[in-house]
Amino acid sequence: MTSEQAPVESPPPLSKYSKRVTVDSISGRPDGGAGLIGQRVVVGGWVKSSREFKLAAPPQPPAAGGPKDISCVEVLQTKLPFFRSIIKVFGGEQRTRDKIDSIIPKPPQPSISILQIGDGSCVSSLQPSLPERKEKHTIELKAEKLLHLGTVDQDRYPLSKKRLPLELLRDSAHFRPRTTTVASVMRIRNGFTQAAFAFFDENGFLHVQAPVTTVTDASGGATESLLRVEATLPDGVKAETIRASIKEKSKKIEELKRSGSNKEALAAAVQDLKKTTELAELVEGEQRRTRTYLSASGRLHLESHASALGNVCSFGPRFQACSPESRRVLAEMWMVEIEVAFSELEDSMQCAMDFLKSICRWIMKSSVEDLKFMEKRVDKHVVDRLQLIAEGPFEKITYTEAIKVLKQAKNERTIEWGAPLSEEHEAVLVEEIYKKPVIVYNHPKELKPFNARCNDDGETCAAFDVIVPKVGTVIRGSQSEERLNMLSGRIKELGLEKKQYEWYLDLRRHGAVKCSGFSFAFDTFVLYATGLNDVRDATPFPRSIGQPNN
Amino acid sequence: MTSEQAPVESPPPLSKYSKRVTVDSISGRPDGGAGLIGQRVVVGGWVKSSREFKLAAPPQPPAAGGPKDISCVEVLQTKLPFFRSIIKVFGGEQRTRDKIDSIIPKPPQPSISILQIGDGSCVSSLQPSLPERKEKHTIELKAEKLLHLGTVDQDRYPLSKKRLPLELLRDSAHFRPRTTTVASVMRIRNGFTQAAFAFFDENGFLHVQAPVTTVTDASGGATESLLRVEATLPDGVKAETIRASIKEKSKKIEELKRSGSNKEALAAAVQDLKKTTELAELVEGEQRRTRTYLSASGRLHLESHASALGNVCSFGPRFQACSPESRRVLAEMWMVEIEVAFSELEDSMQCAMDFLKSICRWIMKSSVEDLKFMEKRVDKHVVDRLQLIAEGPFEKITYTEAIKVLKQAKNERTIEWGAPLSEEHEAVLVEEIYKKPVIVYNHPKELKPFNARCNDDGETCAAFDVIVPKVGTVIRGSQSEERLNMLSGRIKELGLEKKQYEWYLDLRRHGAVKCSGFSFAFDTFVLYATGLNDVRDATPFPRSIGQPNN
């Protein structure tokens, strides 16, 4: 680097564990990267788009150590199409211009390629011209050396086409985060993950990893079908086969005894039988797992830890059978779940509101560029919608009030007390009547899990749903029934298998605590925040009924 | 509160969402709670131990608003045994004393109970006397009112006995966090969760929630058996039954057509057939799920996102078949997994070291009281062991060197190149030979998953294990094979079903990137940090082969 062009400051920090500088640490700077002029850095990324121009003469090797006033990213010894490259780039000079074409030399041999290179660290790409907002100045980057190059087969690569609709991208879940839109969605998911954890830490929640495999149906029979787990056995060994083999071996031992054969042969046969018997026990142990299910909710298990540690939380996958057509629900979804000891319905409704406000404020600060992109490309109301939760009030009405209000609203005369609110009813409440998030609470007990606390009216229970525009219910919460006789009564009423709930009933038998909490549908909420319409586009590898292909 | 005894400062903040003050915010203060003398607070907790004394006369009601010089926690209108109470306590005066007994009035009617109340927020309990370190002064707490009381059936409550061994507590996974030891373990787990997330955030890792249900065997056949998932169907409906019904209905339609019956009956029959066919498709869709497995590793899926976003991480449950006798491995374990694009083996070994050092430093700062407790009660080397990772160097040797060194060590002449290191071999390396954490790398390719990058020698691959004292391997990492022909070759060599890896091979066909990463066995590492000997005691609801009971 020549002294007259000494860099303004030291180079941006290397991305740890990959010896490269992220695009975000260049283009995400307040100066748009201007302070880095004269620097030489290594970047790694994927070519988002490329244009090729012919040059009049072979490109000059760069003057020893000195950056030149060049007009575009120059890539040496390479042929398009190619997809990925690590290139050494160093900054050129700032210069004013209007269009990139105006500064390209007359097109002859050999070629210069202008590339846009993104590495997933931000929406922006590294490119020869920076956006207009930089006072129409541009920073020019010159590729000095290609360190590594991964090609693509352009005819077969699904992302070769520009602006592929999200529906088509679903078949390429392993490629789609390479698109600007899905990469933004994934960064927004990351932001919400951080936001949720920050909320937990600020409010003294302890992380408890609730189990995924369970024998306890947390809904108490409210979900129609559960996903069952069984262990597959090596080579399809079956317990019956082994049992048959045991019979045969026992017979052989009897024969050996009768025939008075030598002791060694008998001992070996006995030893062999012992091994087979052990295997049979192992296999049968595995087969008993067939009654194990994938958990639909971790809240029952969390409650046992809240009943010892106070405030606890969990973030993990939960499972449900769902229609393959659903746009808001998947068979495998990540849920944030919390459970608070010494708390009642009112407390967890407050917690749910605070939680939603907190994560919306966080994402509005942490993901400005990604939200702007989603606003521009997907849904112009993205930020307004976040603002609605972050700053505005929530409406809080009982289920009974909700039914009354819905009956008064035109076209909603069909609904009757006792029925669940449909997606359409929810939309009328939050989008037409109240025009803000609505908490509906005190539902008929038949609509809620078996352990929601019965209210004094004998008909409703201490449960609540937080309903937001666009995606409907994102949080379901309740206060648990802490009275042993009431809870046993509900289990009997619903015809549930009492045995599987004994451990949960134990929490009432010994040191019962008032407890409340909620589940937050993380993936569904990403739809709210991104403006997307299908939860399959907001989830890294969506799982619905039918076999996943990865 | 009387003016002459005005509190030194405002009361401690309420624990959010439960309208109480945590024990930690009283006894965890640098002054041990002295600054709160004269305050009235609400606490919620569980009685850890209790003693009852008879009084000479009925206790006087507290003087209006004024705290008295009282000598112990006084609980009104209650009978022991009881387990849980919310009590209003307010501070008495500081006073010197040696034994609590010396200040108890002569025992007559009615009773005074001295309680130790813990709420899971810290190791300490609220109790009438503070520890000796407070210059032999004590702060006395007086319970003014019991707001709520949950009783226990002392004969049936498993925690009625003192100092129950951890093995026996395993049958009461839903109660055991109420013991001081398991509560400490759970808080240490929480500390590690926070530590891991802090490391990710500091180093630019994006959280990607890798799926739990999958058709891709990440080990490439290296694990013997996988846990299979299938959907249970309402009422045991079977596809064959429906198919039979479809046949019958089709026949009926043919008959209707032949007999020239009225159009309405025919239309109804056709409509009915259509519905049944739809049901059959749904059921068969669910049955196809029988080939879905619970993921043993999320790294393949993470790699697809690293190949677009750079550094990604995941924290979630992973599954494996394991011996029910294993003390270090469970069928369901939480794993931290990371994957870094543009990185090689050396990078992820560095990352693994930095990660371990970072979380050990974090826990030594965040969990001082819990670690002290574990040191006292479970294992006096707890902090030394954390220090060993946090501050000391790691040894880094190839697998070949490890075999050579083990052969030289006495009693280790049995091991041959090509065999996996046993737990005993690992112990010899880290505890006898090097006396520090050891990274073993470049294993024979047969010992590692199919996608570990082949080294130039054709025999070893770019993989590594981080082995620590006491618990053995806690991290397994590798650089992925980015060369399409090499990876296809391995899949063929191992006789794997190529179809299930097509999407993964795609990552090599289009824009291949060098990638490396690792899996960290979270639950196993909690053993290292707590001194416990069985992973079942370090996991909220341990799952091994056999049916869980909750």
Side-chain angles (χ1 to χ4, degrees):
Chain A
M1 212 163 287
T2 54
S3 58
E4 66 273 17
Q5 292 193 324
V8 180
E9 50 188 281
S10 56
L14 284 180
S15 166
K16 266 187 173 170
Y17 316 120
S18 62
K19 300 188 194 77
R20 66 188 170 105
V21 164
T22 62
V23 172
D24 189 41
S25 65
I26 300 172
S27 65
R29 294 162 51 104
D31 66 0
L36 298 174
I37 287 176
Q39 300 284 356
R40 179 178 296 184
V41 294
V42 175
V43 298
W46 293 265
V47 177
K48 297 271 185 181
S49 70
S50 61
R51 283 195 290 172
E52 198 174 10
F53 299 91
K54 305 291 176 188
L55 281 180
Q60 298 294 316
K68 294 191 308 172
D69 175 359
I70 48 154
S71 52
C72 58
V73 169
E74 187 176 345
V75 179
L76 303 173
Q77 279 124 23
T78 175
K79 270 171 67 183
L80 289 175
F82 72 95
F83 184 71
R84 180 225 157 222
S85 55
I86 299 186
I87 51 170
K88 275 194 183 165
V89 288
F90 60 88
E93 285 184 347
Q94 279 195 321
R95 57 145 62 198
T96 313
R97 63 177 180 179
D98 292 312
K99 274 183 171 187
I100 189 152
D101 289 4
S102 65
I103 48 129
I104 301 295
K106 296 245 162 69
Q109 285 296 344
S111 68
I112 281 183
S113 294
I114 302 179
L115 307 175
Q116 282 202 314
I117 295 180
D119 66 358
S121 63
C122 57
V123 171
S124 314
S125 306
L126 278 188
Q127 52 190 0
S129 76
L130 281 171
E132 295 301 291
R133 64 185 156 82
K134 304 296 311 161
E135 303 171 332
K136 298 202 177 185
H137 282 105
T138 66
I139 294 171
E140 289 151 6
L141 304 164
K142 182 180 169 177
E144 192 183 62
K145 197 176 170 189
L146 269 173
L147 300 178
H148 179 81
L149 187 61
T151 58
V152 299
D153 178 346
Q154 212 166 27
D155 294 335
R156 296 172 66 192
Y157 185 52
L159 305 190
S160 293
K161 280 182 194 160
K162 284 209 165 185
R163 296 256 181 129
L164 219 56
L166 287 167
E167 299 87 85
L168 291 180
L169 280 171
R170 280 177 212 150
D171 295 330
S172 307
H174 55 304
F175 283 136
R176 60 182 185 169
R178 295 183 189 179
T179 65
T180 314
T181 302
V182 177
S184 270
V185 173
M186 292 303 145
R187 283 190 299 268
I188 289 170
R189 281 180 71 94
N190 175 66
F192 277 128
T193 307
Q194 295 178 330
F197 275 62
F199 179 85
F200 296 146
D201 294 348
E202 270 164 32
N203 293 289
F205 284 85
L206 294 179
H207 296 273
V208 172
Q209 285 80 30
V212 163
T213 47
T214 181
V215 293
T216 317
D217 174 5
S219 75
T223 52
E224 264 201 3
S225 79
L226 292 166
L227 299 174
R228 206 163 74 174
V229 183
E230 65 178 78
T232 59
L233 304 170
D235 307 313
V237 180
K238 280 184 184 166
E240 303 96 75
T241 324
I242 304 173
R243 285 283 163 212
S245 150
I246 288 174
K247 250 188 188 165
E248 218 169 296
K249 285 176 182 176
S250 306
K251 243 188 224 171
K252 197 184 153 196
I253 290 173
E254 290 305 309
E255 275 169 31
L256 285 172
K257 279 182 184 168
R258 266 200 307 271
S259 68
S261 77
N262 68 51
K263 277 185 182 172
E264 269 175 37
L266 184 64
V270 168
Q271 192 58 31
D272 183 43
L273 175 63
K274 201 185 147 200
K275 270 190 194 164
T276 311
T277 312
E278 280 170 8
L279 181 62
E281 276 158 14
L282 186 71
V283 167
E284 284 176 347
E286 296 223 19
Q287 285 185 340
R288 276 199 296 277
R289 276 198 86 91
T290 50
R291 270 166 281 151
T292 303
Y293 297 91
L294 293 182
S295 179
S297 165
R299 285 190 54 209
L300 301 190
H301 292 87
L302 281 186
E303 197 177 317
S304 76
H305 278 58
S307 299
L309 302 167
N311 302 9
V312 297
C313 63
S314 201
F315 183 43
R318 301 291 173 253
F319 303 85
Q320 58 194 313
C322 65
S323 155
E325 276 80 43
S326 172
R327 293 170 151 251
R328 296 180 185 173
V329 181
L330 290 167
E332 175 178 342
M333 293 184 82
W334 277 65
M335 297 275 178
V336 166
E337 293 162 330
I338 67 135
E339 207 65 38
V340 180
F342 309 108
S343 86
E344 304 184 5
L345 187 70
E346 195 59 44
D347 298 304
S348 46
M349 289 199 281
Q350 187 60 48
C351 184
M353 277 192 284
D354 290 354
F355 175 76
L356 287 176
K357 282 176 178 290
S358 167
I359 63 171
C360 286
R361 282 187 200 129
W362 177 289
I363 208 79
M364 286 165 72
K365 268 191 198 166
S366 75
S367 303
V368 173
E369 194 197 15
D370 288 310
L371 291 174
K372 263 190 194 151
F373 179 82
M374 297 308 285
E375 249 186 349
K376 195 176 116 197
R377 194 66 68 85
V378 177
D379 176 358
K380 63 181 179 191
H381 299 299
V382 158
V383 174
D384 297 341
R385 222 183 281 116
L386 290 168
Q387 197 86 41
L388 185 75
I389 289 182
E391 307 306 336
F394 282 47
E395 189 71 34
K396 227 156 90 183
I397 54 171
T398 63
Y399 169 87
T400 305
E401 285 166 343
I403 296 296
K404 197 174 139 198
V405 162
L406 282 171
K407 280 192 176 209
Q408 283 165 356
K410 64 172 187 238
N411 299 330
E412 291 301 332
R413 276 169 210 157
T414 52
I415 186 153
E416 288 303 327
W417 198 97
L421 300 186
S422 67
E423 288 189 1
E424 290 69 30
H425 294 140
E426 292 183 341
V428 171
L429 282 178
V430 293
E431 283 163 23
E432 292 177 26
I433 301 176
Y434 296 106
K435 298 189 197 318
K436 60 185 149 184
V438 176
I439 299 185
V440 175
Y441 65 100
N442 284 355
H443 295 72
K445 59 185 179 184
E446 287 73 21
L447 297 182
K448 289 292 174 184
F450 76 104
N451 66 325
R453 193 180 198 274
C454 288
N455 289 328
D456 291 343
D457 60 20
E459 294 194 324
T460 64
C461 66
F464 72 98
D465 294 342
V466 182
I467 308 168
V468 298
K470 184 175 169 66
V471 296
T473 300
V474 289
I475 286 184
R476 295 180 200 281
S478 61
Q479 180 180 343
S480 299
E481 181 58 81
E482 86 282 9
R483 296 162 295 187
L484 179 62
N485 60 336
M486 299 293 278
L487 190 61
S488 297
R490 284 295 287 157
I491 287 173
K492 210 173 167 183
E493 245 171 73
L494 294 166
L496 301 175
E497 194 196 345
K498 198 180 169 195
K499 205 183 127 205
Q500 67 169 288
Y501 299 102
E502 279 301 333
W503 70 269
Y504 187 64
L505 287 166
D506 262 0
L507 300 178
R508 277 78 197 158
R509 292 189 184 108
H510 305 292
V513 176
K514 282 188 183 172
C515 233
S516 75
F518 62 75
S519 297
F520 165 69
F522 184 84
D523 302 294
T524 309
F525 196 71
V526 175
L527 293 185
Y528 181 86
T530 55
L532 295 173
N533 291 315
D534 195 307
V535 69
R536 286 172 290 182
D537 302 325
T539 308
F541 289 88
R543 292 340 190 183
S544 51
I545 283 174
Q547 193 174 347
N549 59 1
N550 44 43
Chain B
M1 212 164 290
T2 54
S3 58
E4 67 272 18
Q5 291 192 322
V8 180
E9 51 188 280
S10 55
L14 284 179
S15 166
K16 266 189 173 168
Y17 317 120
S18 63
K19 300 186 192 77
R20 68 187 169 105
V21 165
T22 61
V23 172
D24 189 42
S25 64
I26 300 172
S27 65
R29 294 163 51 104
D31 66 1
L36 298 174
I37 287 176
Q39 300 284 356
R40 179 177 297 182
V41 294
V42 174
V43 297
W46 292 266
V47 177
K48 297 270 186 183
S49 70
S50 62
R51 283 194 290 170
E52 199 174 11
F53 300 91
K54 305 291 175 187
L55 281 181
Q60 300 293 317
K68 294 191 307 173
D69 175 359
I70 48 154
S71 52
C72 59
V73 169
E74 185 177 347
V75 180
L76 304 173
Q77 281 124 22
T78 175
K79 269 170 69 183
L80 288 175
F82 72 96
F83 183 72
R84 181 223 156 226
S85 58
I86 297 185
I87 51 170
K88 274 193 183 167
V89 287
F90 61 87
E93 285 186 346
Q94 280 195 320
R95 56 145 63 194
T96 313
R97 63 176 180 182
D98 291 312
K99 274 186 169 186
I100 189 151
D101 289 4
S102 65
I103 48 132
I104 300 296
K106 298 243 162 69
Q109 284 297 344
S111 68
I112 281 184
S113 295
I114 302 179
L115 306 175
Q116 281 202 316
I117 296 182
D119 67 357
S121 62
C122 57
V123 171
S124 314
S125 306
L126 277 187
Q127 52 190 1
S129 78
L130 282 171
E132 295 301 290
R133 64 184 156 82
K134 305 297 311 161
E135 303 169 332
K136 298 202 178 183
H137 281 106
T138 66
I139 294 172
E140 289 150 6
L141 303 164
K142 182 182 167 176
E144 191 182 63
K145 199 176 169 189
L146 269 174
L147 300 178
H148 179 81
L149 187 61
T151 59
V152 298
D153 180 346
Q154 212 167 27
D155 293 336
R156 297 173 64 193
Y157 185 52
L159 304 191
S160 294
K161 282 182 194 160
K162 285 211 164 185
R163 298 254 182 130
L164 219 55
L166 288 166
E167 299 86 86
L168 290 180
L169 281 171
R170 281 177 212 151
D171 295 331
S172 307
H174 54 306
F175 284 135
R176 61 182 185 169
R178 295 182 190 180
T179 64
T180 315
T181 303
V182 177
S184 270
V185 174
M186 292 302 145
R187 285 190 298 269
I188 289 170
R189 280 180 73 93
N190 174 65
F192 277 128
T193 308
Q194 295 177 330
F197 275 63
F199 179 84
F200 296 147
D201 293 348
E202 270 164 34
N203 293 291
F205 284 85
L206 295 178
H207 295 273
V208 172
Q209 285 79 31
V212 163
T213 47
T214 181
V215 294
T216 318
D217 174 5
S219 75
T223 52
E224 265 201 1
S225 80
L226 291 165
L227 299 173
R228 207 165 72 175
V229 183
E230 66 179 74
T232 59
L233 302 170
D235 307 313
V237 180
K238 278 185 186 167
E240 303 93 77
T241 325
I242 305 173
R243 284 285 163 212
S245 151
I246 287 174
K247 250 189 188 168
E248 218 169 296
K249 285 176 183 175
S250 305
K251 241 189 224 170
K252 198 185 152 195
I253 290 172
E254 289 307 309
E255 275 170 32
L256 284 173
K257 278 182 184 167
R258 265 202 307 275
S259 68
S261 77
N262 67 49
K263 278 185 182 172
E264 269 176 37
L266 186 63
V270 168
Q271 191 60 31
D272 183 42
L273 176 63
K274 200 184 149 202
K275 269 190 194 165
T276 311
T277 312
E278 280 170 8
L279 181 62
E281 276 159 15
L282 186 70
V283 167
E284 284 177 345
E286 297 224 17
Q287 286 186 338
R288 273 199 298 277
R289 277 197 84 91
T290 50
R291 269 165 281 150
T292 303
Y293 297 91
L294 293 182
S295 179
S297 163
R299 285 189 55 207
L300 301 191
H301 292 88
L302 281 186
E303 196 177 318
S304 75
H305 278 58
S307 297
L309 302 167
N311 301 10
V312 297
C313 64
S314 201
F315 183 43
R318 301 290 174 253
F319 303 85
Q320 59 194 311
C322 66
S323 155
E325 277 81 42
S326 172
R327 293 171 151 252
R328 297 179 184 173
V329 181
L330 290 166
E332 176 178 341
M333 292 185 83
W334 278 65
M335 297 275 179
V336 166
E337 293 162 331
I338 67 135
E339 207 64 38
V340 179
F342 308 109
S343 86
E344 305 183 6
L345 187 69
E346 195 59 44
D347 298 303
S348 46
M349 288 198 281
Q350 187 61 49
C351 184
M353 277 192 285
D354 290 354
F355 175 77
L356 287 176
K357 283 175 178 287
S358 167
I359 63 172
C360 286
R361 282 186 200 130
W362 177 289
I363 209 80
M364 285 166 73
K365 269 192 196 164
S366 75
S367 303
V368 173
E369 194 197 14
D370 288 311
L371 292 174
K372 264 191 194 149
F373 178 82
M374 298 307 286
E375 248 185 350
K376 195 176 116 198
R377 193 67 67 85
V378 178
D379 175 358
K380 63 182 179 189
H381 298 298
V382 158
V383 174
D384 297 341
R385 222 183 281 116
L386 290 168
Q387 197 87 39
L388 184 75
I389 290 182
E391 307 304 337
F394 282 47
E395 190 69 36
K396 227 157 89 182
I397 54 171
T398 63
Y399 169 88
T400 305
E401 285 165 342
I403 296 295
K404 197 173 139 198
V405 162
L406 283 170
K407 281 191 175 211
Q408 283 165 355
K410 64 171 187 240
N411 299 329
E412 291 301 333
R413 276 170 209 155
T414 52
I415 186 153
E416 288 301 328
W417 198 97
L421 300 185
S422 67
E423 289 188 1
E424 290 70 30
H425 294 139
E426 292 183 341
V428 171
L429 280 179
V430 293
E431 284 163 23
E432 292 177 26
I433 300 176
Y434 296 106
K435 298 187 196 319
K436 60 184 149 185
V438 175
I439 300 185
V440 175
Y441 66 101
N442 284 355
H443 296 72
K445 61 185 180 184
E446 288 72 22
L447 296 181
K448 289 293 173 183
F450 76 105
N451 65 326
R453 192 179 198 274
C454 288
N455 289 328
D456 292 342
D457 60 19
E459 294 194 323
T460 63
C461 66
F464 71 100
D465 293 342
V466 182
I467 308 167
V468 299
K470 183 174 168 66
V471 295
T473 300
V474 289
I475 286 184
R476 293 181 201 281
S478 60
Q479 179 180 343
S480 300
E481 180 59 81
E482 86 282 10
R483 297 161 293 187
L484 179 62
N485 59 335
M486 298 292 278
L487 191 60
S488 299
R490 283 296 286 158
I491 288 172
K492 212 174 166 184
E493 244 171 73
L494 293 165
L496 302 174
E497 194 195 344
K498 197 179 170 195
K499 206 182 125 203
Q500 68 169 288
Y501 300 103
E502 280 300 334
W503 70 270
Y504 187 65
L505 287 166
D506 263 358
L507 300 178
R508 277 78 197 157
R509 292 189 183 107
H510 305 292
V513 175
K514 281 189 184 172
C515 233
S516 75
F518 62 75
S519 298
F520 165 69
F522 185 83
D523 302 294
T524 308
F525 196 70
V526 176
L527 294 185
Y528 181 86
T530 56
L532 296 172
N533 291 315
D534 195 308
V535 68
R536 285 173 290 183
D537 302 325
T539 308
F541 289 88
R543 297 332 191 188
S544 51
I545 283 175
Q547 194 174 347
N549 59 1
N550 42 43

